[in-house]
Amino acid sequence: MHQFEIMRLIPLEIFGFDASFTNSALFMVIAAAVITLAALFAMRNGSLVPGRMQSVAELSYQFVANMVRDNVGTEGMKYFPFIFTLFLFVLTLNMLGMVPYSFTVTSHIAVTFALAAFIFIGVTVIGFWKHGIGFLKFFVPSGVPFIMLPLLVVIEVISYLTRPVSLSVRLFANMMAGHTMLKVFGSFVVALGLLGGWAALAFMVAFTGLELLVAFLQAYVFAILTCIYLNDALHMH
């Protein structure tokens, strides 16, 4: 399980807190650099008839833009830059984790929960900023008998507060489980040798393809759930 180990690259302590630059932070910097350089390279010419890289960049832009419009509406387009950045960041971190001897940042609950908590707080602030104290009506289902309200309000509040947990655990658990499975079957290839190792190797090849799909899907799910939470804050439904 050493692939999930956090290693301090540059030890640093600030006011008694460990603020060391770790391998996790390094791969987040690498992901940000890859996204920035890829975008600049793809759009360096800005041709009317796009080339391959420009087409990929434009398709990515359109894909996320449609996601925001379909789930939040045109009012949500002002938050498109954040959701687009979030999607690309999580996707790049997931894909970098598929490179042998690299580090999967999203396999750590501390990272995914930090992202989810930031989204949760931001969406809640937007809800109160737009609706004021009326945002609390979101926790009161309409058309419910008065005698049932105390129970349902508690259920709605608990459901709302568990959002950052479910959002973070879904991404963390999928990435960690997939990489652990690859590691286990990788050890089978070595242990079984030429006689039986080919079966484990064939499974690893197929499972690697599945993991690439999961890496994309988890970034998509993370982004689309952010859109759904944002829609709740803006439209109260």
Side-chain angles (χ1 to χ4, degrees):
M1 303 296 285
H2 63 274
Q3 61 176 318
F4 303 117
E5 183 183 355
I6 298 289
M7 295 183 293
R8 294 178 178 85
L9 303 179
I10 304 177
L12 181 65
E13 187 174 307
I14 300 177
F15 301 114
F17 292 97
D18 187 358
S20 302
F21 187 80
T22 64
N23 52 347
S24 178
L26 174 63
F27 274 89
M28 283 190 271
V29 172
I30 292 173
V34 167
I35 295 168
T36 304
L37 293 175
L40 292 174
F41 179 75
M43 303 303 297
R44 66 191 186 284
N45 295 324
S47 304
L48 185 62
V49 180
R52 292 179 181 178
M53 286 294 293
Q54 185 176 334
S55 295
V56 171
E58 291 179 359
L59 285 172
S60 302
Y61 182 98
Q62 194 63 38
F63 175 75
V64 180
N66 289 336
M67 183 199 306
V68 176
R69 290 193 194 96
D70 292 343
N71 291 279
V72 191
T74 54
E75 189 178 356
M77 288 304 293
K78 68 174 70 174
Y79 304 101
F80 166 77
F82 171 73
I83 296 172
F84 185 54
T85 303
L86 179 70
F87 172 74
L88 289 181
F89 186 62
V90 174
L91 177 61
T92 305
L93 289 176
N94 290 350
M95 291 301 181
L96 284 175
M98 295 300 299
V99 178
Y101 301 104
S102 66
F103 182 83
T104 311
V105 177
T106 47
S107 67
H108 283 264
I109 188 67
V111 175
T112 58
F113 185 79
L115 288 172
F118 179 81
I119 293 166
F120 173 77
I121 294 171
V123 165
T124 304
V125 169
I126 290 171
F128 278 107
W129 174 73
K130 182 173 177 60
H131 304 285
I133 197 69
F135 182 63
L136 294 177
K137 293 180 181 178
F138 180 75
F139 305 103
V140 184
S142 60
V144 176
F146 181 78
I147 195 171
M148 294 289 292
L149 276 180
L151 175 62
L152 290 177
V153 167
V154 171
I155 292 174
E156 288 292 330
V157 170
I158 293 174
S159 175
Y160 188 81
L161 293 177
T162 57
R163 283 182 172 184
V165 177
S166 62
L167 188 62
S168 59
V169 169
R170 183 182 293 105
L171 175 58
F172 142 76
N174 276 278
M175 299 311 298
M176 184 175 186
H179 285 276
T180 303
M181 184 74 75
L182 284 173
K183 180 68 174 178
V184 169
F185 276 88
S187 65
F188 285 169
V189 174
V190 177
L192 296 175
L194 293 176
L195 293 178
W198 61 270
L201 180 61
F203 179 84
M204 277 194 65
V205 172
F207 195 76
T208 299
L210 178 62
E211 272 299 288
L212 288 171
L213 177 62
V214 169
F216 171 80
L217 286 177
Q218 287 305 312
Y220 172 73
V221 169
F222 203 88
I224 201 168
L225 285 176
T226 302
C227 291
I228 292 171
Y229 297 160
L230 183 60
N231 178 66
D232 291 339
L234 293 176
H235 303 128
M236 298 279 287
H237 63 78

